């Protein structure tokens, strides 16, 4: 099943709490994620039908016109597979045999989620997890697996998108079992 998401990231926690309260009182959406990301940042991810999500998005755009709400990052992502949403901060369970492993590191979590959706739609690899809110700088990381050529092509495809939030893109061919058993993200 496909979902529409609105991804909200706040540069201060109190604004995030105020908007979270408004959302729960005024919009018929599901809260997928509501969490502190790092000191001073807060994230909310909502899902629902296209009309309700678009209504919420218009409300957020209206709020951003006001001085006290100008530091909200928002993105609308339509047609996201429900299984991808379940991979947010999912503990990594590697397949029995990992052919090649790809990792994309972003300066924010919103772009990581948006790119993971792109990868699911456009590449023959499997997204294993989307780690959000990593470290002091609120990074996002997408980890995916597939055959060597598919992982390499996916890394190149994402690099060619020239996403300004992309920090690093790596592929590891035939990762060692000791590496995989000790891998923590």
């Amino acid at each position: 099943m496909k979902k529409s998401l609105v991804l909200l990231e706040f540069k201060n926690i109190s604004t995030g709490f105020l908007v979270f309260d408004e959302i729960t009182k005024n919009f018929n959406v599901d809260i997928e994620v509501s969490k502190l990301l790092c000191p001073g940042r807060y994230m909310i991810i909502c899902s629902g039908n296209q009309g309700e999500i678009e209504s919420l998005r218009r409300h957020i755009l209206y709020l951003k016109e006001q001085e006290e709400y100008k530091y909200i990052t928002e993105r609308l992502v339509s047609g996201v597979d429900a299984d991808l949403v379940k991979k947010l901060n999912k503990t990594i369970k590697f397949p029995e045999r990992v052919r090649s492993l790809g990792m994309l590191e972003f300066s924010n979590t919103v772009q990581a989620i948006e790119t993971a959706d792109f990868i699911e739609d456009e590449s023959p690899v499997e997204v294993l997890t989307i780690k959000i809110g990593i470290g002091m700088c609120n990074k996002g990381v997408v980890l995916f697996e597939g055959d060597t050529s598919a992982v390499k092509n996916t890394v190149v495809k994402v690099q060619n998108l020239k996403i300004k939030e992309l920090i690093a893109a790596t592929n590891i061919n035939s990762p060692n079992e000791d590496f995989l058993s000790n891998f923590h993200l």
Side-chain angles (χ1 to χ4, degrees):
M1 177 173 59
K2 300 286 186 179
K3 293 185 172 194
S4 292
L5 302 177
V6 74
L7 313 171
L8 304 170
E9 189 174 307
F10 304 88
K11 289 190 180 176
N12 66 56
I13 297 164
S14 61
T15 300
F17 286 165
L18 286 170
V19 172
F20 185 39
D21 181 57
E22 274 191 51
I23 291 169
T24 59
K25 289 178 179 172
N26 301 307
F27 296 91
N28 184 24
V29 295
D30 294 321
I31 306 300
E32 300 290 345
V33 174
S34 170
K35 68 178 276 184
L36 294 170
L37 295 174
C38 67
R41 290 190 181 253
Y42 191 72
M43 172 174 248
I44 303 169
I45 301 175
C46 303
S47 68
N49 69 49
Q50 183 68 34
E52 197 66 32
I53 290 295
E54 184 57 37
S55 177
L56 172 56
R57 183 172 173 266
R58 281 193 307 271
H59 179 69
I60 297 299
L61 292 173
Y62 165 76
L63 288 178
K64 286 175 64 170
E65 294 174 2
Q66 301 169 43
E67 184 66 27
E68 66 267 29
Y69 293 103
K70 69 181 181 182
Y71 296 113
I72 300 172
T73 300
E74 59 76 33
R75 298 261 175 85
L76 172 68
V77 184
S78 297
V80 176
D81 193 290
D83 288 338
L84 185 66
V85 175
K86 292 176 187 172
K87 293 178 181 179
L88 291 171
N89 282 335
K90 179 182 175 189
T91 302
I92 302 166
K93 183 164 175 83
F94 290 108
E96 191 171 305
R97 180 177 166 265
V98 176
R99 298 160 289 177
S100 194
L101 195 60
M103 179 186 259
L104 304 170
E105 180 181 350
F106 297 91
S107 62
N108 68 45
T109 59
V110 170
Q111 189 61 58
I113 295 166
E114 198 170 51
T115 303
D117 181 52
F118 170 79
I119 290 170
E120 287 264 314
D121 292 343
E122 302 293 327
S123 299
V125 297
E126 180 186 352
V127 173
L128 300 172
T129 189
I130 308 157
K131 292 295 185 175
I132 59 174
I134 297 174
M136 292 292 292
C137 298
N138 183 35
K139 290 183 178 183
V141 173
V142 178
L143 191 68
F144 54 95
E145 190 272 336
D147 68 49
T148 300
S149 63
V151 170
K152 283 181 180 179
N153 290 339
T154 300
V155 167
V156 169
K157 190 182 294 186
V158 171
Q159 288 172 320
N160 288 339
L161 293 173
K162 306 285 187 216
I163 300 169
K164 69 178 181 175
E165 295 91 349
L166 181 64
I167 295 171
T170 305
N171 63 296
I172 300 169
N173 297 321
S174 303
N176 182 288
E177 284 184 36
D178 287 338
F179 169 81
L180 294 174
S181 64
N182 291 295
F183 184 88
H184 300 287
L185 181 64

